[in-house]
Amino acid sequence: MTARDRLTDALYGLGWGTVKKLPEPVAVRLGRAIGDLAWKQRGKGVLRLEANYARVVPDASPERLAELSRAGMRSYLRYWMESFRLPAWSSERVRTGFAPKDVHHLTDGLASGRGVVLALPHLANWDLAGAWVTTELRTPFTTVAERLKPESLYDRFVAYREGLGMEVLPHSGGSAFGALARRLRAGGLVCLVADRDLSASGVEVKFFGETARMPAGPALLAQQTGALLLPVTLWYDDSPVMRGRVHPPIEVPETGTRAEKTSAMTQALADAFATGIADHPEDWHMLQRLWLADLEPRPADGERT
């Protein structure tokens, strides 16, 4: 493990070990202060966040984009402060910390025995939403996590999410897909963050008017298992309670090849995500490149475009 890896692991360990012990008002103020400091430093993550918001709100002035990115960093740090504190929250605090609309799409789907895939973008706090599902609905679910470096940090995240009642599978190889399919065929619940996939297997979609890639997994799982595919969007308001909406099911098209069906369903998922992101752009924590145009090589200085 490199010195940088050890430092990264130590900082996350400090967050989970120290922030969760702070009184909630102190943690809220700390998160806002760190978010403001990061925003003022105008690092790569903040600049990327602002560039992404420029696509979501194309008519925004530079001043409006700056306001959005500041609010976005505050929202991002709220996510981290909540996540560090979630293991110490009481069951009552978890249950009252999230107020989703149209949950009947989820509960009806589970009651039918079909299995359900919940697909979310990087909006607000998906970990809190998951903890609410396991606490309020008393429904366990399975998710996947990308392998992080150092390995000890990945282990921390897995332990954290398992402590919230989730089954966590590593996002590597093909074994995760098979395990998720088995959970769904048994009538279970799978939750996946699904608004970014830069791999060759990603499905191209139109997202705010430009081409991006999103994972094929949610659509393929629904096709292969008969599970219900439900988009979910989340947002914060000025209260301590996170809000959310379970969108209507995305149906499997009756005609077309598997690839065509997957493309159509993933586009429908992207459209649902776009609705939630457009309504609450400051709660979309996308500090990385997403659109394909941002991944293409740029011309050298002086070269004509």
Side-chain angles (χ1 to χ4, degrees):
M1 186 187 296
T2 67
R4 182 173 180 176
D5 287 346
R6 286 195 294 271
L7 176 61
T8 299
D9 182 62
L11 288 173
Y12 278 98
L14 181 66
W16 271 301
T18 303
V19 173
K20 71 179 181 182
K21 298 177 183 176
L22 297 175
E24 190 157 340
V26 175
V28 169
R29 290 195 297 271
L30 176 63
R32 179 167 289 207
I34 295 172
D36 285 349
L37 178 62
W39 177 78
K40 289 176 183 176
Q41 290 178 341
R42 308 292 289 167
K44 282 199 284 188
V46 172
L47 294 177
R48 173 50 49 195
L49 182 68
E50 210 162 281
N52 290 340
Y53 286 161
R55 284 187 169 92
V56 175
V57 191
D59 58 347
S61 65
E63 294 77 15
R64 172 61 178 147
L65 287 175
E67 291 174 1
L68 272 177
S69 65
R70 184 179 188 181
M73 290 306 297
R74 287 183 170 184
S75 176
Y76 185 50
L77 265 295
R78 176 173 170 175
Y79 159 76
W80 278 113
M81 290 296 115
E82 286 180 350
S83 295
F84 286 142
R85 292 174 52 76
L86 263 176
W89 280 15
S90 67
S91 296
E92 181 64 17
R93 179 67 181 89
V94 171
R95 284 195 294 267
T96 59
F98 181 38
K101 298 189 293 186
D102 299 329
V103 181
H104 67 274
H105 291 306
L106 170 57
T107 53
D108 291 350
L110 291 171
S112 73
R114 288 179 59 181
V116 175
V117 180
L118 293 180
L120 308 88
H122 285 82
L123 273 170
N125 192 337
W126 46 97
D127 286 326
L128 172 55
W132 184 88
V133 167
T134 60
T135 303
E136 174 67 15
L137 301 185
R138 299 179 183 271
T139 301
F141 66 88
T142 305
T143 188
V144 297
E146 291 186 33
R147 285 203 172 277
L148 303 173
K149 291 184 178 180
E151 189 74 15
S152 57
L153 181 57
Y154 169 77
D155 292 340
R156 283 187 190 274
F157 271 98
V158 170
Y160 156 65
R161 291 189 168 119
E162 287 179 342
L164 298 176
M166 312 175 194
E167 179 189 24
V168 183
L169 304 177
H171 188 273
S172 58
S175 59
F177 186 91
L180 295 174
R182 288 192 293 274
R183 304 296 185 274
L184 291 168
R185 290 192 181 101
L189 176 63
V190 164
C191 299
L192 301 170
V193 179
D195 57 345
R196 185 173 185 262
D197 185 350
L198 304 182
S199 72
S201 61
V203 177
E204 290 193 2
V205 296
K206 284 296 180 184
F207 195 53
F208 291 101
E210 292 192 45
T211 304
R213 286 198 195 108
M214 294 189 180
L220 286 172
L221 285 166
Q223 288 178 64
Q224 293 193 18
T225 68
L228 208 60
L229 175 56
L230 299 176
V232 177
T233 53
L234 310 170
W235 65 93
Y236 291 128
D237 58 18
D238 294 330
S239 77
V241 180
M242 184 176 71
R243 312 294 172 174
R245 178 191 174 198
V246 182
H247 294 249
I250 293 174
E251 302 295 344
V252 178
E254 294 182 1
T255 61
T257 65
R258 184 172 75 166
E260 289 169 344
K261 292 178 180 179
T262 300
S263 177
M265 295 174 72
T266 306
Q267 182 63 61
L269 203 58
D271 293 343
F273 291 169
T275 298
I277 292 167
D279 287 343
H280 305 279
E282 68 279 3
D283 292 323
W284 189 40
H285 307 150
M286 186 55 66
L287 280 72
Q288 301 86 24
R289 295 178 182 182
L290 175 71
W291 283 274
L292 298 193
D294 293 335
L295 303 173
E296 296 169 357
R298 298 186 182 278
D301 289 345
E303 186 177 325
R304 297 179 68 89
T305 58

